[in-house]
Amino acid sequence: MIPEFAIIGHPNEGKSSVLSTLAEDDSVRVSPTPGETTECRTFPVLIDGVEILRFTDTPGFQNPRRVLHELQAFAGRGPDTIRLFRESFLTDPELRDDCELLLPVARGAGIIYVVDGSRPVRNIDRAEMEVLRLTGRPRMAVINCKGEETAHLADWKDAFRKTFNSNRVFNAHRATYAERILLLEALKSIDQDWQGPLDLVVSAFKKDWAARNDRTADIILNLLADCLSFKVMGEILPGCDENMLRKKLHDDYTKAIRKKETLAHLQIRSLFKHNIFNYDLPPCSILHEDLFNEKTWQFLGLGKRQMAVAGALSGAAVGAGIDLAHVGLSFGIFTTLGGAIGTVGALMGGRSLSTKTRLLGVGLGKEQVQVGPNDSVQFLHILLDRVLLFYAHIINWAHGRRDYPENRAEVERTEPFAPGIRSGHWSAASLKVCREYFRALRDGDDGKREIAEKNLLKILTGTLLSISESDDGG
Ligand SMILES: Nc1nc2c(ncn2[C@@H]2O[C@H](COP(=O)(O)OP(=O)(O)OP(=O)(O)O)[C@@H](O)[C@H]2O)c(=O)[nH]1
Ligand SMILES: [Mg+2]
């Protein structure tokens, strides 16, 4: 039997939002106007194409006091109470929504009662709770605070204790993966018969999440390998303006890298089922800064000390004979391109270009300009930090949430700081793996690369899991 839960409550309390977040389905209709949901709609939760759970969205109570009054007449009819009530009042326009919302209950669904815990408990809420008690179905209350006020929480909990098997605070806008799991776990306790099926649901959820994390780690590794080995080349033809060519290649290079990064981010976004709404990063996120912008390189990646540890400042880039635009990317990303060209030009003369020419097997006498591959391990860390930050945002962007709040304080909380997001803070052993991976890529050493890749994959899946389980979400 597939467990079904009906999400029930007063109009506009956030029922549809809670459902959307729980089921990770952004097709659920949410609106600031009360009465948005007028018909029951069932949302199956599928894992690997198999339905494991279903949630049913319902309209808000219309006339709970009258329902309560009429229900008394059927008291003592056990499981038939709701069916008989519905049969008697289905055509009564005053109870239209009430009959509709009780439909899933009549067929045996469990109840998740949603209230906005930021407002006081009223008598009409007590009438709704009593109606739900009379249904005799297993029920849990969910406190979804739409506002910041917490003074009423104790009263709500007190009211629930009398009529519900369990209650939980669950915020439709801010609930994380970990909180979704906790809510599902708590549902187990409201009815013994559901313990077995819900155990399966919880373990299927966890397995599915782990599979998404594995897939994310693959996407990240592909992004790193692709960006770190990427280069663009152009031939210096007689009479061509060399500086213009360099600038063009540099632009081509950065444009292509940005595109690769955006694509990886989009892949992660769709893995986590954000399909309909145009997910925007919070206004204050560092991710709004361009990948090649000074701010990005100041705030993300390795700090100076970690750079020294990583050996990134060893001067290897210069020694290897890399052209100036390349060095510009590695060391002087913040200097103007003209400045970078001047400095490195003085350092290296034309030597690097001829080296490259020979290496590339282009006929003698021809010169080529090459931009990339970037030779700084810092680049790996910047890409890593940005993708991990993006991941943290996307997994903590609850599906029931459709935009950012006006409230400044709430906006400020939106950049996640879960441990592991800044790769610069990883352990020395993990940083060593990054360095080895980077070097293996640079040297084209497939054997070493395979080993380093495996190690990095392990670190990444561990990091993704710890970000998912952290409660320091968006
Ligand atoms: N700030 C905030 N707003 C919320 C939260 N949950 C819901 N809302 C907003 O409250 C409004 C109503 O949300 P819905 O989920 O449509 O409420 P509902 O109970 O399904 O409403 P009806 O279908 O009309 O009965 C929407 O504008 C939501 O964005 C929350 O946790 N925080
Ligand atoms: Mg609704």
Side-chain angles (χ1 to χ4, degrees), residues 10-17 29-37 57-60 144-146 171-173:
H10 205 71
N12 210 38
E13 298 282 282
K15 300 179 293 296
S16 301
S17 307
R29 287 177 67 120
V30 164
S31 152
T33 317
E36 176 63 26
T37 311
D57 197 12
T58 69
N144 169 49
C145 288
K146 282 170 65 176
N171 191 288
H173 278 199

Side-chain angles (χ1 to χ4, degrees), residues 76-95:
R77 305 296 288 269
D80 287 335
T81 310
I82 295 302
R83 189 179 54 79
L84 293 171
F85 167 81
R86 288 188 78 253
E87 278 169 12
S88 307
F89 296 99
L90 214 46
T91 52
D92 186 333
E94 229 189 52
L95 299 180

Side-chain angles (χ1 to χ4, degrees), residues 248-325:
K248 183 191 169 298
L249 291 177
H250 183 270
D251 287 350
D252 290 350
Y253 174 87
T254 49
K255 215 188 267 172
I257 296 274
R258 280 191 203 103
K259 205 166 154 194
K260 291 173 195 299
E261 190 194 43
T262 306
L263 198 72
H265 289 191
L266 284 178
Q267 284 174 320
I268 294 172
R269 181 193 129 147
S270 78
L271 256 185
F272 289 88
K273 305 189 182 177
H274 286 285
N275 299 318
I276 297 181
F277 290 91
N278 197 10
Y279 165 74
D280 284 326
L281 291 160
C284 60
S285 176
I286 181 78
L287 290 181
H288 285 298
E289 298 296 334
D290 185 74
L291 171 60
F292 295 103
N293 188 345
E294 177 174 356
K295 241 187 175 170
T296 299
W297 287 59
Q298 260 171 6
F299 288 108
L300 303 178
L302 304 176
K304 270 210 180 84
R305 223 180 51 110
Q306 294 149 341
M307 284 276 278
V309 174
L313 292 174
S314 64
V318 177
I322 287 133
D323 82 73
L324 52 118

Side-chain angles (χ1 to χ4, degrees), residues 2 54 75 82 90 106 142 155 165 194 210 252 274 340 344 400 429 459:
I2 299 163
R54 53 180 82 131
I82 295 302
L90 214 46
V142 161
D155 286 348
N165 311 84
W194 279 333
D252 290 350
H274 286 285
V344 187
I459 296 169

